[in-house]
Each structure stands twice: as C-alpha cells, then as structure tokens.
C-alpha cells in the first residue's frame, strides 16, 4: 500500500517469514543424544542449535516428541501435552523453543489429526466403555461382516500393508467390534464428525502456540475425514474428486479453516504446513487457499526422477498451481519417510515410490552424491520454502541395515519385503571417530555447546547402527573439507539469505541450449543452470560463479552439476553452439 511506512513493510515481511524460509526437519531420535542412552533427545538438540544457526536455517520442524509408545516413531501420540521421557520433558521443550528463537530459529511441531495411539486415554476409554458408547464415537468402531462378524467392515488396505481394521476382544474374552486404522493397529483413526475431536485438536494447537511454537506440520492431512457409510473400494476405479472414502474429502477444508482461525489469532500468526499426497494439482491447491493452510510439501518434486524434462514440468506446474492461490511453493528432496537423495539418485530408477523399495537395490553412491549436490542447489534456487531433512546436508546415504536392527512397522507389516524407513533415520555422525561418531557425546566436539555432555565410554550404542565409514561424513570432518556437502549447503543457504535476488518470487525460465539443461533467472542478476545431460555444457562468457555443485573449469559445466551465476545479461547466456563437449575434458574447437 502506498501509505505504508517502511517499518510496517519490514514487520509484515517478518510475519511472512514462512514464504521463503529454510526449514530443517529434525527427527529427534536420531539428531543428537544428550544423555548417552543411544537415543536422540531435546538436550542433544539444544546443544546443537549453534550448528543449525550456522547452517542458516530459519525454522526447525520437529517430528513428534510427545508421550508415545513409539509404535511408529512417535506418530502414535498418547498425550500431546507432555514430552516423551525418552526425549526430555515439557519444561525442556519450552526452553528449546525459546533458545532456538534466540538463535533466530522458529519451531514447528507435528500434529496427527488422523489418529492417536492405542494407548491414548480416549482409546482406552473407548475399549472399556464398549459398543454404542459416546467414547467409541470418537473413533471408527464397527461390527464385522460375515458369519459371526469375522470379516472386516471394509476392504480397505493400510498404507503399512494389511487390513485397516483390527478386531477387539470383549471383556468376557469373546471377539468384539472392529476399529479402523489407516496405518498400524496401534494408531486408531479418529472420527472427525465428533465434536470432542475437533475441540481437542484446536486446544492442542493453542497449547503449543502458547508455548511459542511458530507453526504445525499437519501429518497425513488429506486423510482424517471418512465417508461415514464406509463403502468398499473393490471394483471402483476412480472417484469424483472429494468423494473418495478416506482421501481428500471436501469436509476437510472446514477443519483447516477453523485451524487457520486459531493460528491467525496470535500477534505473530502461526503457520500451518500440510502433508498432503494428492495427484490432482487443483485439489492440492485448494488446501492452500488464503483462509486455509499456508504451505504444503511438494511431493511431486520430491518423487520426480532426475530428468530435466520431468523436473521442468514439475517446477512449472508447481509454480502455476501455487500462484493461482497466492501460496508459496515448497521444495523438498526428502524426509524421514523417503530414501535419502544420495542413494535414490544413484540408482537406475531415480524416481521415488514406496512400492518400489526393496533390499539390495544396486546403487552408485558417487553418482548419487554428485546428483544430490546438484539437486540441493536446484532446490535452494527455486522461489518459495526450502525443506532440508537432517543428514542430507551431510550427504548421508540410505543405510542398508541388518534385518535384525529394523524397527519400522512398514517393514514388518509388509511381511519383511519392504526395507521400511529405518535406513534414512540412522543417528547422525558428528565427529570423525569416537563412539557413535559423537552422536551420543558432545565432549570432544567444537560444534556442540551446552552442559549436556556425556563421556564416550559410557554412552549406549545408538538405537540404529551407524555404518562403519560414517566418520568420513561427520560434521567435524566436513567442516575441514572446503568442498564438502556440508559446506556446499552452508554456502547455498548463506547466499539464499544474502542475495536480494532470492528474497522475492521473481522467477524466469531461460532458454536452454539443450533439453537436458534447465536454466532460470532469479531477480535481475542471478541465474541457476542445471546440466542433467551426459555432456559438458559450455558457458558463453565468463560470469561470476556464485556457487557450483562441482568444479567449473574454463566455463564448462560438467554433467549432473548445478551452477549459480551472477550476471546482468540473463538471456541467451548459455552457448547455443554445439555443447557436446565430451566430458573427457576435451576443449571445444
Ligand atoms: C508420517 C509417517 C507416519 C505416518 C503415520 C506420515 O505421513 O510422515 O512417518 O508413519 O504419517 O502417522
């Protein structure tokens, strides 16, 4: 507005921090262990806040830290108002949120509206109260079908494999009603037609917002509402959008509008971030309308293969879809559910799909690392919010763990076929050597701070085993190597913050000399070029190289490389002359 004073503009920009933030995902179990029990915790995380500050992240999203039996890594919450003793306590969570903010880092917590733990007091009460009770109305209890009710009420399949229904046992030992769980049996689904469920979640939001949480990540945000008729899916090949029995139902939007009102009631409005997996772009964008959710994870980008055409299309569609509703795009390369980029991009099939995961897939980690570096700079150059999953800044590969070490219900419920998600959740290496590579001790490590230190020799083994060679990937080691993955990320995030071109949404595709090259401009003078091809790419003129994922020698961008350039001349920047410079290093004629 023309009448706005500069300080008002500044403050509005600050309130809209979430539009171009760098959000670092912390999986607390595996980030840093402050008490030496082999499991990451809040003390460990607090001691590593300086590391996150130096990386220049704007926010952390912390996956569930609440009291939980941990049947699904904490995504089975027994009590949202207390912290699991594995991680610390509520007072420490409050301290963490405040300390992080002192380092300029906001905190986003995780909320799971689809389900709770089977140990949640509501579910215990529902089991005890029996059929027809108000307590059971908060969940989906149904009689079984077939003789004696022995068949599940619907034919739905769980995302973790198997049926979505588990039968209860009555007090007298006879088989009872069934209850619905889209995930594991330990995660009973809530009934969002029930007012208690709505009220309770709004209270939980306020509980954490009052404690300084800057926002919430909404787990499985497309799933909570069910068709009360609970129809079978057998034989139905497609649905009129909004009518699927349990995905993306129209009624969800009212829930999130109510959440938005809760978030907007704070002086610094809180932020909603959704995990919605949806194929239809317009249905996805509907969640991001101005009175609903602020941002949502871009899974199209995350799952796309390493291919210029596909990524060009995904980026174009993402930007179009989001600008239609005025929401910022997000750029996500992985998370705690997904194969690590270094591994995924080093395989024959570089796309991600849960169905395609299998043990022993051949992987070229050198190639994967090269591409992961290029992908990191591509993602960081795009307009919107950047998500970074812990350990990706170190280039950790997906660990191939011994079967006996696996803990993920996805593995067990697949009958042992799916390796599950433990491989991307292995505790981080902080030091080049020492027990657990410094995961359970900050004692010898200049990157840590605070009083939460245990001695190497007394710390328990980490909850998942780390590969023997992970010392080379540790933070301490990478801080010593000028071209390490960690320092590449630090440089990228520093430039993202300092370069005016990255501050707004200005984005322009540039004509690329080959279909296997992506080129775009940010602002007036920054260009990002990604060479997906198998040949070197010649730059037309010497430009100021801001950052590159691999060495640029003589103006040549090698295969699987991203470069950020500064140049005022942003059109036709790349040579359209034959760019097929053989990658053996021969020079063009
Ligand atoms: C989370 C998973 C979790 C599932 C059930 C997801 O989308 O990211 O880690 O297993 O929701 O809560």
């Amino acid at each position: 507005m023309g009448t706005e004073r500069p300080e008002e503009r500044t403050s509005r920009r600050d309130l809209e921090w979430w539009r171009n933030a760098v959000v670092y995902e912390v999986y607390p179990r595996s980030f840093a262990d402050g008490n030496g029990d082999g499991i990451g915790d809040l003390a460990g995380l607090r001691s590593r806040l300086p590391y996150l500050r130096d990386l220049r992240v704007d926010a952390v999203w912390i996956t569930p830290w609440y009291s939980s039996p941990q049947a699904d890594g904490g995504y089975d919450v027994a009590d949202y108002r207390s912290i699991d003793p594995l991680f610390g306590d509520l007072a420490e969570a409050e301290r963490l949120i405040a300390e992080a903010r002192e380092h300029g880092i906001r905190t986003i917590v995780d909320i799971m509206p689809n389900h709770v733990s089977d140990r949640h007091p509501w579910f215990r009460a529902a089991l005890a109260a029996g059929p027809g009770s108000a307590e059971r109305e908060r969940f989906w209890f149904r009689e079984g079908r077939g003789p004696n009710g022995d068949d599940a009420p619907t034919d739905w399949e769980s995302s973790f494999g198997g049926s979505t229904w588990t039968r209860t046992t009555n007090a007298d030992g006879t088989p009872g009603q069934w209850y619905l769980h889209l995930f594991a049996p330990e995660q009973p689904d809530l009934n969002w037609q029930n007012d208690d469920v709505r009220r309770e979640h709004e209270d939980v939001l306020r509980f954490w917002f009052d404690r300084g949480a800057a926002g919430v990540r909404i787990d499985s945000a497309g799933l909570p509402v069910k068709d009360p008729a609970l129809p079978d899916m057998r034989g139905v090949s497609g649905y009129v959008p909004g009518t699927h029995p349990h995905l993306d139902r129209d009624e969800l939007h009212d829930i999130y509008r109510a959440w938005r009102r809760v978030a907007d009631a704070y002086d610094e409005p809180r932020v909603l971030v959704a995990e919605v997996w949806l194929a239809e772009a317009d249905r996805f964008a509907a969640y991001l309308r101005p009175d609903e959710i602020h941002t949502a994870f871009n899974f199209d980008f995350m799952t796309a293969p390493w291919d210029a055409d596909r990524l060009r299309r995904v980026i174009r569609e993402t930007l179009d879809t989001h600008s239609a509703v005025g929401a910022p795009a997000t750029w996500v390369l992985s998370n705690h559910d997904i194969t690590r980029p270094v591994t995924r991009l080093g395989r024959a099939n570089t796309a991600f799909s849960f169905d395609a995961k299998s043990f022993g897939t051949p992987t070229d980690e050198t190639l994967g690392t090269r591409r992961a570096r290029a992908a990191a700079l591509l993602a960081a150059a795009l307009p919107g919010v950047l998500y970074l999953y812990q350990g990706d800044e170190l280039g950790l590969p997906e660990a191939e763990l011994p079967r006996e070490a696996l803990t993920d219900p996805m593995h067990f419920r697949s009958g042992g076929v799916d390796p599950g998600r433990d491989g991307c959740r292995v505790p981080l290496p902080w030091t080049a050597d020492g027990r657990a590579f410094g995961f359970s001790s900050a004692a010898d490590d200049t990157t840590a701070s605070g009083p939460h230190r245990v001695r190497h020799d007394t710390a328990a083994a980490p909850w998942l085993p780390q590969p023997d060679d992970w010392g080379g990937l540790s933070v301490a080691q990478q801080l010593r190597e000028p071209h390490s993955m960690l320092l590449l990320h630090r440089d990228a995030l520093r430039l993202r913050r300092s370069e005016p071109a990255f501050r707004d949404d200005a984005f322009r595709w540039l004509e690329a000399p080959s279909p296997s090259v992506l080129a775009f401009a940010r602002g007036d003078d920054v260009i990002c070029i990604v060479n997906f091809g198998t040949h070197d790419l010649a730059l037309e003129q010497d430009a100021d190289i801001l950052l590159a994922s691999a060495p640029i020698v003589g103006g040549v961008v090698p295969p699987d490389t991203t470069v950020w350039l500064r140049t005022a001349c942003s059109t036709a920047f790349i040579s359209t002359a034959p760019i097929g410079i053989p990658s053996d290093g021969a020079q063009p004629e």
Side-chain angles (χ1 to χ4, degrees):
M1 270 178 7
T3 55
E4 201 175 42
R5 293 198 305 272
E7 63 274 19
E8 285 170 342
R9 279 202 299 278
T10 311
S11 86
R12 197 182 60 213
R13 165 158 265 171
D14 197 41
L15 292 182
E16 301 229 316
W17 64 272
W18 48 273
R19 287 191 167 271
N20 65 354
V22 176
V23 184
Y24 184 95
E25 180 190 351
V26 173
Y27 194 77
R29 237 185 141 75
S30 302
F31 187 71
D33 168 20
N35 69 0
D37 65 356
I39 297 174
D41 50 33
L42 301 192
L45 175 51
R46 287 175 63 208
S47 77
R48 299 294 182 178
L49 287 172
Y51 169 78
L52 296 174
R53 177 202 58 209
D54 294 347
L55 193 54
R56 294 185 179 75
V57 309
D58 300 300
V60 283
W61 149 34
I62 303 177
T63 62
W65 54 7
Y66 318 105
S67 291
S68 160
Q70 306 287 329
D72 178 23
Y75 281 95
D76 48 318
V77 177
D79 178 9
Y80 273 113
R81 294 175 182 81
S82 66
I83 297 293
D84 197 286
L86 275 179
F87 302 135
D89 60 22
L90 187 57
E92 183 151 36
E94 291 174 3
R95 275 202 297 281
L96 168 66
I97 293 171
E99 284 170 8
R101 192 61 193 263
E102 282 162 21
H103 287 295
I105 300 171
R106 291 176 164 90
T107 301
I108 294 173
V109 298
D110 218 318
I111 302 285
M112 287 124 275
N114 185 68
H115 48 264
V116 288
S117 161
D118 62 346
R119 298 296 158 131
H120 189 285
W122 279 6
F123 193 72
R124 309 311 298 166
L127 288 180
S133 60
E135 287 83 349
R136 287 203 175 187
E137 277 307 302
R138 294 171 177 146
F139 298 90
W140 292 96
F141 281 89
R142 287 292 184 277
E143 299 301 331
R145 300 192 287 194
N148 308 316
D150 287 343
D151 298 332
T154 71
D155 63 353
W156 304 357
E157 274 175 35
S158 159
S159 328
F160 286 171
S163 170
T164 57
W165 295 91
T166 291
R167 196 166 194 182
T168 60
T169 304
N170 294 321
D172 63 3
T174 57
Q177 287 189 307
W178 299 68
Y179 68 89
L180 176 68
H181 50 85
L182 292 185
F183 294 95
E186 295 86 352
Q187 295 164 298
D189 279 35
L190 291 162
N191 171 11
W192 276 84
Q193 292 186 315
N194 184 282
D195 285 342
D196 290 350
V197 172
R198 288 175 182 253
R199 258 196 310 273
E200 165 65 2
H201 282 79
E202 289 174 25
D203 277 0
V204 167
L205 294 180
R206 285 190 202 95
F207 182 87
W208 285 102
F209 292 163
D210 289 349
R211 280 163 181 74
V216 288
R217 178 253 187 195
I218 310 170
D219 181 74
S220 304
L223 298 178
V225 173
K226 315 293 183 305
D227 179 347
L230 299 179
D232 270 341
M233 296 213 248
R234 197 175 299 125
V236 181
S237 56
Y239 289 92
V240 175
T243 66
H244 183 283
H246 62 70
L247 175 64
D248 181 35
R249 290 187 63 82
D250 289 337
E251 301 91 322
L252 284 165
H253 295 281
D254 272 351
I255 298 172
Y256 299 132
R257 278 194 203 102
W259 287 26
R260 180 64 179 253
R261 288 194 290 275
V262 173
D264 281 347
Y266 288 79
D267 285 343
E268 177 179 296
R270 305 312 201 231
V271 175
L272 311 176
V273 182
E275 184 205 24
V276 209
W277 292 82
L278 277 185
E280 306 86 5
D282 57 328
R283 298 289 304 180
F284 177 87
Y287 290 87
L288 303 178
R289 289 175 290 195
D291 61 344
E292 294 195 37
I293 291 168
H294 297 73
T295 64
F297 299 112
N298 186 346
F299 293 133
D300 290 344
F301 183 74
M302 184 179 75
T303 55
W306 184 246
D307 175 83
D309 272 348
R310 284 291 293 280
L311 282 162
R312 189 181 294 108
R313 183 151 57 80
V314 167
I315 294 168
R316 179 171 287 133
E317 286 173 2
T318 298
L319 295 176
D320 289 351
T321 304
H322 286 73
S323 72
V325 285
T330 68
W331 308 102
V332 185
L333 287 170
S334 85
N335 65 32
H336 65 285
D337 294 329
I338 302 296
T339 307
R340 293 259 190 203
V342 159
T343 301
R344 174 169 69 85
L345 299 177
R347 290 180 167 169
N349 178 5
T350 52
F352 176 80
S353 128
F354 283 104
D355 299 338
K357 291 181 80 184
S358 64
F359 286 95
T361 309
T363 305
D364 177 345
E365 280 179 11
T366 306
L367 177 64
T369 301
R370 182 178 183 88
R371 289 176 172 167
R373 292 172 66 97
L377 291 199
L378 165 63
L382 290 164
V385 188
L386 178 69
Y387 276 85
L388 180 58
Y389 173 48
Q390 69 179 39
D392 282 353
E393 81 278 20
L394 303 177
L396 299 184
E398 184 86 0
E400 285 266 349
L401 298 168
R403 279 179 189 262
E404 60 278 11
L406 300 181
T407 68
D408 185 7
M410 203 175 243
H411 167 66
F412 296 109
R413 290 184 61 82
S414 73
V417 174
D418 184 332
R421 300 163 295 177
D422 290 301
C424 65
R425 299 173 176 179
V426 173
L428 298 193
W430 291 92
T431 53
D433 41 36
R435 196 170 162 80
F437 301 119
F439 168 67
S440 285
S441 169
D444 299 336
D445 180 2
T446 52
T447 61
S449 71
H452 312 288
R453 295 175 176 194
V454 290
R455 290 166 49 81
H456 282 173
D457 49 2
T458 56
W463 71 279
L464 285 174
Q466 299 157 303
D468 292 342
D469 58 359
W470 271 25
L473 294 171
S474 64
V475 172
Q477 181 62 31
Q478 295 203 34
L479 286 174
R480 293 195 280 266
E481 292 167 5
H483 301 296
S484 67
M485 184 72 116
L486 175 57
L487 293 188
L488 179 75
H489 277 82
R490 275 201 185 181
D491 286 345
L493 301 191
R494 176 177 50 76
L495 287 167
R496 228 184 107 98
R497 222 177 243 188
S498 63
E499 282 297 321
F502 287 129
R503 287 205 198 122
D504 60 26
D505 290 346
F507 172 93
R508 191 160 42 96
W509 287 110
L510 299 179
E511 197 179 334
S514 137
S516 56
V517 173
L518 288 192
F520 56 85
R522 296 296 314 278
D524 293 332
D525 63 348
V526 173
I527 290 183
C528 174
I529 297 168
V530 191
N531 182 5
F532 291 84
T534 51
H535 291 94
D536 288 347
L537 168 68
L539 300 177
E540 196 170 73
Q541 62 185 54
D542 272 351
D544 190 7
I545 295 175
L546 288 173
L547 192 60
S549 64
I552 306 294
V553 181
V556 166
V557 183
D560 294 316
T561 300
T562 298
V563 59
W564 293 359
L565 304 171
R566 186 199 304 289
T567 173
C569 158
S570 64
T571 47
F573 179 75
I574 308 163
S575 169
T576 50
I579 55 161
I581 306 165
S583 56
D584 59 8
Q587 292 300 306
E589 300 186 0

